[in-house]
Amino acid sequence: PMICANPDKEIVRQDGVHALCAGVIAEAYEKMGGQVTYFGKPHSEIYQFIFEKLQVNPNQAIAVGDNLETDIRGANTLGIYSVIITGGVLSHIFSLAPGQLPEKSALAALCKKHRVKPDAVMASFIA
């Protein structure tokens, strides 16, 4: 058995390099016949844990992330307001310069393909 604590398949490191993430390993292991238990986005358990830990109501939360399959899908599943950051893992798909947003129709088509709908779009996010 395998536990995958971060189902993301791709990340963008702080130096801007795109790298594979644990979700790729978990997916390959499943294809080999292995059993994988997933935690983290988009699975509801991580959200419920955070809501309880922080004593926050889901309608007070905003999910901000750069991944349609995990960040936005998780938010959509739980009905949380979501913001997609296009300057992360999506930047190479759209060939974006820093701070540039993709064409609205191109982003809409990609979201439709992944069956997700972010509520807002930002080019970058600095905490």
Side-chain angles (χ1 to χ4, degrees), residues 36-101:
V36 179
T37 301
Y38 291 93
F39 291 97
K41 302 167 291 177
H43 305 284
S44 62
E45 295 85 3
I46 191 65
Y47 293 95
Q48 297 306 326
F49 173 79
I50 294 299
F51 296 149
E52 290 173 21
K53 189 80 167 166
L54 298 177
Q55 299 178 358
V56 172
N57 189 314
N59 65 5
Q60 298 171 305
I62 298 174
V64 179
D66 68 342
N67 191 306
L68 295 173
E69 292 181 27
T70 55
D71 302 326
I72 304 306
R73 182 173 315 287
N76 287 179
T77 299
L78 271 79
I80 300 168
Y81 189 88
S82 64
V83 179
I84 185 70
I85 305 299
T86 59
V89 298
L90 298 178
S91 63
H92 70 285
I93 293 172
F94 298 113
S95 300
L96 299 173
Q100 181 183 17
L101 288 171

Side-chain angles (χ1 to χ4, degrees), residues 1-7 22-23 26-27 29-30 34-40 43 45:
M2 176 183 186
I3 296 173
C4 181
N6 182 355
E27 188 177 77
Y29 186 63
E30 279 183 315
Q35 177 188 353
V36 179
T37 301
Y38 291 93
F39 291 97
H43 305 284
E45 295 85 3

